[in-house]
Amino acid sequence: MKQLIAEKFRAVYGRVPEIVAYAPGRIEFIGNHTDYNGGTVLGAALDRGVWVAVAGRADGRRQFASDQRGAPVELRVEEMGKRNGSESWVNYPLGVLAALPVFGAVAPAGFDYLAMSNLPSGAGLSSSAAIELASALAFLEMAGERPLREAVVKIGKHAENHFVGVPCGILDQGVSGFGQKNRLVFIDCRGPVFETVPLPGDAHFWIFNTHTKHALVDGLYAARHRECMAAAQGLGVSLLVEADAAAVEAGKAKLAPEVFKRAKHVVDEIARVDAAKFALAGGDLVAVGRLLTASHRSSQFLFENSTPELDFLVDTLTATAHVFGARLTGGGFGGAVMAMTSGAFGEQEAQAVAVAYREKFGATPDVLHAQTGDGAKLL
Ligand code: ADP
Ligand code: MG
């Protein structure tokens, strides 16, 4: 891949890159909208992601290109405003550049930049965190800095929260930064504290990307964020992680009906993450699978961030042999469903699910047998 991006870089800029960095996408294994509520979450880094190649320029100009976009976007160093329309993808590297000084690092001045990806974008697999972390590693290396992994994670999150404007928690960047092959990343988002736990050998991941996306997805994400904060306030805690199921039940009268449902989802989901971690340690994939499906049902009925397409996939998958459990993965309101299966579930079984989906919705989901992979790194 380093060779490939170097060739592409040469095709765009007529010279070789000086630095290449990589960061993976991720699966949200379990812990739906728990991160910004201070809860716990488990995720897995994928073996696919975003590569970023850069080379310095003496004239102080910055050129941004992506293999998924057209001609490079050229900006002067002082042009740090948000981009719109076809240039809006540049907000990810630009947001990283804006975040660097906040973390005491120097943003490089002029450079040529190319992003290359083998990760579906907008599918709930966090291509956004991947491009942020790969960009951050490349820019930091240009500035001669080798920060701790945790700082790179925080720079990526800062870019997404404050520049792109998505109030996401630490899950996406944390898993992209700390992922390891055949392991899951467990994050206690209050610290945040990152650990990895082994993934039992017979756990396989299948992802069904529906390519559906609710038109108001960004607004809906922000609305859920607001409802969670309102729930915390109503319950007299600063974040929902400080409440538990009993406290939410006891405070029901003080919460609007939707706000109560959001709070119940979050506190139950945090309990499910912790139960899943325990079951993983015991190698009990049947128990883990039940928790995954319970997580989806809670998204469906309490957090209300599922869709008929995602529900259909979960219903179909959980009625199929060799599937331990299935759930929407990522923010919801469209996107992808993840199933954890045994090795006996194969391409044929996956295609049967895709065919059933096509018969109902007239469109075919992308099917991906996902492998876990390592976290962000310089190449
Ligand atoms: P997800 O993170 O689930 O993939 P998001 O909507 O958060 O979905 O982020 C997707 C956005 O990230 C894209 O619309 C694009 O702006 C940006 N992006 C990700 N990867 C690339 C890439 N390789 N080239 C250009 N932009 C990218
Ligand atoms: Mg994203």
Side-chain angles (χ1 to χ4, degrees):
M1 284 297 189
K2 194 177 178 183
Q3 189 65 34
L4 184 61
I5 193 169
E7 280 164 24
K8 290 194 182 199
F9 193 93
R10 193 201 289 272
V12 178
Y13 297 115
R15 61 189 184 129
V16 291
E18 289 159 0
I19 295 160
V20 178
Y22 164 78
R26 62 100 189 92
I27 315 175
E28 176 193 285
F29 183 72
I30 189 166
N32 192 240
H33 289 255
T34 53
D35 56 358
Y36 58 78
N37 288 297
T40 48
V41 63
L42 279 160
L46 297 172
D47 69 343
R48 38 178 79 217
V50 177
W51 287 259
V52 165
V54 290
R57 286 173 68 110
D59 64 1
R61 291 193 166 257
R62 291 168 169 171
Q63 299 212 73
F64 298 90
S66 162
D67 71 339
Q68 301 182 347
R69 298 292 191 275
V73 175
E74 184 170 321
L75 300 175
R76 294 187 308 279
V77 171
E78 58 285 6
E79 278 181 285
M80 285 297 293
K82 253 184 108 167
R83 314 304 299 174
N84 298 309
S86 65
E87 295 186 354
S88 60
W89 74 272
V90 178
N91 291 329
Y92 294 88
L94 218 46
V96 169
L97 290 166
L100 289 171
V102 179
F103 291 83
V106 177
F111 54 76
D112 292 333
Y113 169 109
L114 175 68
M116 181 182 94
S117 172
N118 64 359
L119 185 67
S121 172
L125 301 178
S126 210
S127 68
S128 60
I131 193 170
E132 287 154 7
L133 266 72
S135 300
L137 279 179
F139 294 148
L140 286 159
E141 182 71 8
M142 279 190 93
E145 308 211 28
R146 285 277 171 96
L148 294 176
R149 209 165 267 279
E150 185 163 341
V152 181
V153 166
K154 288 184 174 166
I155 288 167
K157 177 174 183 286
H158 194 277
E160 184 131 0
N161 291 164
H162 300 283
F163 199 92
V164 178
V166 179
C168 67
I170 194 82
L171 161 70
D172 300 352
Q173 293 82 10
V175 175
S176 183
F178 282 88
Q180 281 179 29
K181 186 157 184 59
N182 298 326
R183 296 181 80 86
L184 295 173
V185 181
F186 174 82
I187 310 175
D188 183 336
C189 302
R190 256 186 299 185
V193 179
F194 303 92
E195 347 163 5
T196 64
V197 298
L199 186 62
D202 197 33
H204 290 256
F205 294 126
W206 290 82
I207 294 164
F208 297 80
N209 179 12
T210 64
H211 291 283
T212 57
K213 189 168 179 176
H214 200 293
L216 302 173
V217 62
D218 292 342
L220 286 166
Y221 191 99
R224 290 296 178 276
H225 186 275
R226 267 197 314 277
E227 288 163 350
C228 289
M229 298 308 140
Q233 197 176 21
L235 296 169
V237 294
S238 59
L239 288 171
L240 278 175
V241 67
E242 292 154 32
D244 59 13
V248 171
E249 211 54 56
K252 187 170 181 176
K254 286 184 263 174
L255 305 177
E258 306 77 45
V259 171
F260 167 77
K261 288 199 277 184
R262 311 306 182 235
K264 180 159 173 52
H265 165 80
V266 170
V267 299
D268 290 353
E269 184 77 350
I270 293 169
R272 276 188 290 270
V273 173
D274 298 334
K277 189 185 181 206
F278 184 80
L280 282 164
D284 187 350
L285 290 177
V286 173
V288 175
R290 266 195 222 110
L291 291 160
L292 298 178
T293 306
S295 163
H296 183 81
R297 297 305 175 202
S298 180
S299 291
Q300 183 177 353
F301 298 114
L302 294 175
F303 212 68
E304 295 179 286
N305 61 334
S306 187
T307 62
E309 289 87 351
L310 301 176
D311 295 339
F312 178 83
L313 284 170
V314 170
D315 294 345
T316 309
L317 281 159
T318 51
T320 302
H322 315 301
V323 174
F324 292 117
R327 60 183 293 276
L328 69 84
T329 183
F333 309 110
V337 160
M338 171 211 85
M340 185 176 75
T341 74
S342 76
F345 183 97
E347 201 57 51
Q348 211 176 330
E349 287 75 13
Q351 285 311 324
V353 174
V355 166
Y357 183 94
R358 191 181 60 226
E359 278 166 10
K360 179 146 174 88
F361 296 104
T364 308
D366 285 345
V367 177
L368 175 68
H369 185 184
Q371 309 295 329
T372 59
D374 285 335
K377 58 189 170 194
L378 286 166
L379 298 181

